[in-house]
Amino acid sequence: MVPLLLVLLLALVLFGAGFALKALWVIAAIVLVLWLVGFVARPKGGNSRWYRW
């Protein structure tokens, strides 16, 4: 019974990690698109930047 529970727990952890990694990839892609839009649509005024770093 214990090995079966360990295998099920391992499968659950791996499924959760896979879902989290997929979600992180989606969030990274959204941030990249927003950054590119901001880079292209920045004001035309010399050194002006649309972000604050």
Side-chain angles (χ1 to χ4, degrees), residues 5-51:
L5 288 176
L6 288 176
V7 169
L8 288 175
L9 183 63
L10 181 64
L12 184 64
V13 167
L14 291 176
F15 173 76
F19 179 76
L21 289 175
K22 173 121 174 110
L24 287 176
W25 274 109
V26 169
I27 291 170
I30 291 170
V31 169
L32 178 65
V33 167
L34 288 175
W35 180 79
L36 287 173
V37 167
F39 184 76
V40 170
R42 68 178 179 217
K44 307 285 187 222
N47 261 350
S48 61
R49 296 180 298 191
W50 68 276
Y51 52 86

